[in-house]
Amino acid sequence: MTNHVFKYGSLVMFTAIIILTGVLACRLAFMQETDVAYDIAGWLWSDNYGWISLNYQNPEFPESGDAKMYKVQLDSNNNLVGYGWSEYVGWVCFGFTCSSSGIGGTPSFDDGWNASYDPISKKITGWAGVVSLGGDGYLHLGSTVDSGSLANGVGQACYDCNTNNEDGALNCRTCFARVRVDGANIPDANITSTSAGSGSICFNCNGCQTSTNPLGTASRIVCNSGCTGGCKKYGTVVNGANGTILGWGWNGDVTNLVGAGWVEFNGAAEIVYPWLQTQFGSVYGSNYIRQRFEKGRNATYCIFAKDVYSFTSTNCQQPFFSDVAIAYPTFQNGVYRNALGQIDLVGLTTEYKRIGNTRYNKYDQVLNIYNNATTWKKSEVFNNSVYVINGNLTIDNGFVITNGGDGQRGNGLIVVNGDLNIKSNFGYSNGSLPDDLKKLGSVAWVVKGDVIVDPAVTQIVGAYLLLGKDNILCQAESGSSVDYPKYVANSCGVFFSNESQDQLVVLGLIIAKAFDFRRTYSKLIQGSERIIYDGRLIANPPPGLKALAENLPVIRDYQY
């Protein structure tokens, strides 16, 4: 099951501490102006032909075309292209793809093959086609025939609804005028969900209201009049609230005897926009953890936060995660601390003694201080040492963090008293595990500023604790959404992934005051940003982080 949380568009969702160690995922329903092609996932349903898969990576039933590699995509010009697969009738082409599929001809009343999505109205128009049926396989995604204003009755299933702040009236972008099954209208008393039907589809409706069926078993939003965008006899749209595709297409010859008939899109298909993915562990938040869309979600990870909104948290009991107050680490008597633990940053970074030219902190760890460094590249085994960079630090040359040798430890701590600008990949060495976990390569970054990852960077490693500059508040860009702000880089403690079509993989964890994830990489089975908790913080804690590590969730699975 895919779970949705946190990311909306290219914007971060809240200003809070969150330790990204849970198995979580989020899809966003926000159209971005990029050259990225977004996958379409899920299935369509035809009473005559059964399931039609839109992506070979669809999980679970139905089978996805005998391992054939196919998918339908939304390209940078908002055209639907590519292939779906039916185990009964074979390939189903979309839009311009049909012109080279061998299906032949062009649909009636149209000047050529096309299938397009309007990100403003959310309408999908044009054609798809069942290739094996040739000229009888044209699948119309949107009727061109007007049906009048709610000509088929009350709008019984309404989507993308919002309240007019001036008068409190409810407006809905899309309403379906009838709910139908097997060609027959469903009586009001039998409606148990808000599934869209094959009756009229109406746009930009107002005067909507919540209605409960006569049995009191289900409520839905209905609309009686005032659809300024007009009504069509059938059609398909994207639900802007969650990216799912709704509605009905029609396939059949002129006698309606050959073809798939009604092809249902109702919520089983969706556009796969960029999403955040984390693996192994739990999620902690000092403030609200909330899904962008008011749809109940089941999380397969345990959420600890002050308020968990629109989620049912699993793998933990309600008393253990509800209304948990976890403040961001604050500076008290030389130590940063919160409910998860503490880090004695002053003791770790202050010279306590010197033997020859070697400095030591109060914990007898070797202390390396760089006062004029602008770039830095790790070139030796960390060996339980602490590195202090006074000022901004840029990593512009890739390097490998190696395990310790005989008599050496592989852990290290880097403290950056400024911003950390990452412009090159770096990672842990490959190979077998050392014979002693104390030799295992393990790094932590404590940053008194922001972490800014360059668009070209695709993999970084380590535990990142972004403390930010003292007494500096995080600020959103002017005009940015209040709930999902885009942040200003002012050294307050924000983790930025920066705009890129490439995926960013972080092996470790991140604790930050805010997250600004901007990657547009879009695939069904992997997120645009992947935070993979690899267990090194527990197995071989970097200097000063043992107390923090001991209070993290119990990890039963390691990935090195």
Side-chain angles (χ1 to χ4, degrees):
M1 173 181 179
T2 300
N3 310 290
H4 303 235
V5 72
F6 293 150
K7 186 172 177 179
Y8 174 61
S10 60
L11 312 183
V12 73
M13 79 142 249
F14 64 97
T15 304
I17 168 181
I18 172 172
I19 301 179
L20 292 175
T21 60
V23 180
L24 70 97
C26 102
R27 297 191 193 286
L28 54 92
F30 182 75
M31 192 61 210
Q32 300 188 59
E33 303 260 342
T34 72
D35 293 328
V36 178
Y38 296 118
D39 290 358
I40 307 295
W43 304 272
L44 310 181
W45 172 258
S46 162
D47 285 338
N48 291 334
Y49 299 147
W51 290 108
I52 300 170
S53 173
L54 300 177
N55 195 310
Y56 76 97
Q57 292 177 319
N58 283 333
E60 302 173 353
F61 179 82
E63 296 296 331
S64 297
D66 297 328
K68 295 178 176 67
M69 297 180 66
Y70 60 89
K71 63 179 62 175
V72 181
Q73 290 186 306
L74 182 67
D75 70 14
S76 59
N77 294 316
N78 294 320
N79 296 309
L80 271 70
V81 295
Y83 287 94
W85 173 261
S86 164
E87 60 179 321
Y88 295 109
V89 292
W91 296 115
V92 178
C93 60
F94 281 76
F96 300 130
T97 307
C98 293
S99 61
S100 59
S101 67
I103 191 172
T106 58
S108 302
F109 312 112
D110 197 83
D111 58 0
W113 285 105
N114 69 84
S116 60
Y117 166 64
D118 183 341
I120 304 301
S121 68
K122 307 298 182 184
K123 297 179 185 178
I124 294 176
T125 56
W127 300 84
V130 181
V131 176
S132 64
L133 297 181
D136 291 327
Y138 302 153
L139 172 61
H140 201 186
L141 302 176
S143 171
T144 58
V145 180
D146 293 334
S147 64
S149 178
L150 285 172
N152 290 331
V154 173
Q156 294 176 336
C158 301
Y159 299 89
D160 276 5
C161 301
N162 61 81
T163 301
N164 185 322
N165 292 328
E166 294 181 1
D167 57 17
L170 191 63
N171 300 325
C172 298
R173 186 187 297 274
T174 304
C175 287
F176 288 85
R178 236 177 218 180
V179 179
R180 298 169 65 92
V181 169
D182 296 332
N185 297 336
I186 299 178
D188 280 351
N190 294 335
I191 294 175
T192 57
S193 70
T194 57
S195 296
S198 57
S200 297
I201 178 174
C202 303
F203 307 96
N204 298 331
C205 303
N206 52 54
C208 304
Q209 58 187 323
T210 300
S211 173
T212 303
N213 69 10
L215 298 181
T217 57
S219 62
R220 63 200 186 283
I221 297 174
V222 301
C223 182
N224 293 299
S225 62
C227 297
T228 59
C231 300
K232 301 295 183 181
K233 286 195 171 182
Y234 59 88
T236 48
V237 296
V238 172
N239 183 357
N242 56 23
T244 56
I245 302 176
L246 303 169
W248 295 75
W250 172 258
N251 166 243
D253 66 0
V254 293
T255 64
N256 296 336
L257 297 177
V258 178
W262 292 117
V263 176
E264 182 179 359
F265 285 75
N266 300 334
E270 64 180 331
I271 300 174
V272 182
Y273 291 118
W275 52 288
L276 170 66
Q277 179 185 11
T278 80
Q279 296 176 275
F280 307 122
S282 299
V283 173
Y284 290 73
S286 68
N287 207 325
Y288 306 107
I289 292 183
R290 59 192 187 276
Q291 159 65 8
R292 169 61 180 84
F293 312 112
E294 296 183 20
K295 308 284 183 181
R297 303 293 184 188
N298 289 320
T300 58
Y301 44 87
C302 187
I303 300 176
F304 297 84
K306 182 177 180 181
D307 179 60
V308 181
Y309 180 68
S310 290
F311 277 86
T312 300
S313 187
T314 60
N315 291 341
C316 57
Q317 299 299 314
Q318 181 76 22
F320 296 107
F321 71 85
S322 179
D323 199 26
V324 176
I326 303 177
Y328 203 78
T330 56
F331 189 70
Q332 301 173 5
N333 300 322
V335 176
Y336 284 88
R337 68 178 78 237
N338 74 346
L340 294 177
Q342 65 182 33
I343 177 170
D344 179 9
L345 194 59
V346 173
L348 287 165
T349 60
T350 301
E351 181 179 342
Y352 182 73
K353 66 179 180 182
R354 185 181 299 200
I355 300 177
N357 292 325
T358 303
R359 298 183 176 95
Y360 293 86
N361 62 20
K362 66 183 290 186
Y363 300 102
D364 268 344
Q365 295 155 342
V366 173
L367 180 61
N368 305 277
I369 300 177
Y370 301 86
N371 291 319
N372 300 308
T374 56
T375 62
W376 180 83
K377 177 180 178 181
K378 182 263 180 192
S379 58
E380 70 282 337
V381 174
F382 282 132
N383 198 23
N384 199 36
S385 297
V386 177
Y387 300 79
V388 179
I389 290 85
N390 290 317
N392 297 334
L393 174 65
T394 298
I395 297 177
D396 55 8
N397 288 294
F399 58 88
V400 175
I401 298 171
T402 57
N403 297 328
D406 291 340
Q408 294 178 315
R409 296 194 61 176
N411 58 339
L413 175 69
I414 299 98
V415 178
V416 181
N417 289 313
D419 294 335
L420 174 59
N421 297 284
I422 302 175
K423 296 186 176 182
S424 180
N425 290 356
F426 59 91
Y428 294 115
S429 60
N430 296 322
S432 59
L433 289 175
D435 54 8
D436 184 346
L437 284 180
K438 291 182 179 180
K439 299 179 181 179
L440 181 68
S442 177
V443 63
W445 306 82
V446 175
V447 182
K448 296 294 294 295
D450 297 327
V451 172
I452 303 169
V453 182
D454 191 81
V457 174
T458 58
Q459 178 175 301
I460 60 178
V461 299
Y464 295 81
L465 173 56
L466 282 66
L467 297 174
K469 286 186 177 179
D470 296 333
N471 302 317
I472 298 293
L473 298 178
C474 297
Q475 299 178 0
E477 291 184 359
S478 177
S480 181
S481 167
V482 174
D483 288 333
Y484 300 89
K486 192 172 185 178
Y487 286 98
V488 175
N490 67 349
S491 303
C492 75
V494 178
F495 185 96
F496 294 91
S497 67
N498 273 331
E499 291 88 350
S500 175
Q501 297 180 18
D502 296 323
Q503 181 187 64
L504 173 65
V505 177
V506 181
L507 296 175
L509 62 83
I510 307 171
I511 303 174
K513 291 182 179 177
F515 297 85
D516 199 330
F517 293 119
R518 305 188 185 187
R519 298 290 168 122
T520 56
Y521 176 93
S522 171
K523 298 297 177 185
L524 175 58
I525 60 175
Q526 288 190 347
S528 50
E529 286 93 355
R530 299 180 67 203
I531 292 86
I532 303 173
Y533 186 54
D534 62 2
R536 292 173 187 260
L537 184 64
I538 301 292
N540 190 18
L545 294 189
K546 183 178 180 181
L548 179 65
E550 288 175 344
N551 287 286
L552 289 177
V554 175
I555 303 300
R556 298 181 177 86
D557 214 341
Y558 293 97
Q559 178 172 327
Y560 296 103

